[in-house]
Amino acid sequence: MIRQFGIYLSDEVDHWTGSRFVDQTRTVLALFERHLKPPRESGKMWKISIEVVSKVRKPKVREVLGHVKIQIEDNSTAFFDLTAEEKKRQTLDWLFRGIEIVTQAYGWDMKPYEDAREAVLDLNYVNHWTWKKRAWWRNGRRLVAEVFVEHEVEVFRVHIQLRNRSGEVLERTLVISERPDEFIFSKYFGALQWIDDHTVKLISKSWSDEPDKSVTFDQRHFPD
């Protein structure tokens, strides 16, 4: 089933430019992926890869190791001159142009993809989320530590925050700024644990050499 999407530059570009382009499209693609209910009709295909080119040389849909690849024609060099919000809109436009070609080629239903697009638009392209793993305060379930994420066009920010049961965020501390690429920042999400009554630690995955991140919250937030 289709679960992932990628947009790439296929004209002659250097590695740094190609990587930067991929990074800056990930915020919208990740948001879209999170709201897509994978259509079963796509079978063993799991990713749609869209190549933005100055001239289409491979107009037909191609299948490569579970990827469905398609080329679309546009001026990709202008992308880097856009504002962050314009880049988000351009990314969604390219994504849907590619999806329309693929769904028409295979006769797939467009509705799951349209629903995911509507979710992105309803959120105004804002890709912020709270990690599903959280740590309740060891002296009762009145407070909880969480990891709050801001996935933006040029940066991925990780915060550790303290929240009460009513949903009020009492304190939030930035602990990581990283490239906006899931393959880069996934290494930080191992576990979240209290290490004393006022300090919580974000533990990196076991295979990562990244140091753990600790935050000590203001003691005034805690009951006596």
Side-chain angles (χ1 to χ4, degrees):
M1 294 183 288
I2 297 295
R3 296 178 181 274
Q4 294 183 23
F5 302 84
I7 302 179
Y8 307 95
L9 297 180
S10 288
D11 289 332
E12 293 295 326
V13 295
D14 59 82
H15 176 74
W16 184 84
T17 300
S19 296
R20 182 168 168 241
F21 179 83
V22 170
D23 281 357
Q24 294 188 11
T25 60
R26 279 312 307 167
T27 177
V28 168
L29 296 185
L31 187 60
F32 185 90
E33 290 167 359
R34 197 155 63 248
H35 288 88
L36 176 69
K37 295 181 180 178
R40 295 186 179 278
E41 63 185 352
S42 54
K44 295 182 180 180
M45 297 300 169
W46 59 276
K47 182 174 182 178
I48 294 177
S49 296
I50 300 161
E51 302 168 347
V52 182
V53 296
S54 57
K55 183 177 181 179
V56 173
R57 293 179 173 82
K58 299 177 180 179
K60 293 184 178 180
V61 172
R62 294 165 285 145
E63 297 179 7
V64 182
L65 300 175
H67 288 223
V68 182
K69 293 190 174 185
I70 188 63
Q71 290 187 343
I72 60 173
E73 186 172 310
D74 211 333
N75 177 18
S76 59
T77 58
F79 180 79
F80 296 108
D81 295 327
L82 301 177
T83 66
E85 295 307 309
E86 289 170 339
K87 288 175 180 176
K88 292 178 181 181
R89 292 194 290 271
Q90 180 64 83
T91 298
L92 189 62
D93 176 69
W94 281 333
L95 173 63
F96 233 71
R97 284 172 59 185
I99 287 174
E100 286 175 339
I101 294 171
V102 171
T103 53
Q104 289 174 11
Y106 288 103
W108 293 346
D109 183 8
M110 276 288 290
K111 190 175 187 308
Y113 305 99
E114 291 171 342
D115 289 346
R117 178 177 63 176
E118 286 304 309
V120 172
L121 295 174
D122 288 345
L123 291 168
N124 197 28
Y125 301 89
V126 176
N127 190 359
H128 296 174
W129 45 274
T130 303
W131 191 31
K132 62 183 179 181
K133 293 184 179 180
R134 54 190 56 153
W136 288 96
W137 187 45
R138 62 175 66 190
N139 292 334
R141 297 179 68 85
R142 289 173 287 182
L143 298 170
V144 63
E146 299 175 322
V147 177
F148 176 75
V149 167
E150 296 173 309
H151 190 169
E152 296 293 346
V153 169
E154 295 193 13
V155 65
F156 181 86
R157 300 186 189 93
V158 179
H159 308 257
I160 295 177
Q161 66 184 24
L162 183 69
R163 177 178 62 80
N164 61 25
R165 294 193 68 173
S166 64
E168 179 186 5
V169 176
L170 305 175
E171 190 173 337
R172 177 182 291 165
T173 301
L174 176 66
V175 293
I176 299 167
S177 293
E178 184 59 272
R179 281 178 54 193
D181 181 335
E182 291 94 322
F183 294 104
I184 300 295
F185 61 69
S186 65
K187 61 190 173 185
Y188 298 106
F189 295 88
L192 186 67
Q193 297 177 356
W194 289 95
I195 58 176
D196 64 32
D197 286 346
H198 306 110
T199 304
V200 71
K201 178 186 289 186
L202 176 61
I203 302 171
S204 298
K205 290 186 176 178
S206 58
W207 49 262
S208 171
D209 58 1
E210 288 292 334
D212 300 334
K213 309 297 182 182
S214 298
V215 170
T216 300
F217 298 114
D218 191 323
Q219 295 185 20
R220 289 175 295 180
H221 298 312
F222 296 84
D224 295 330

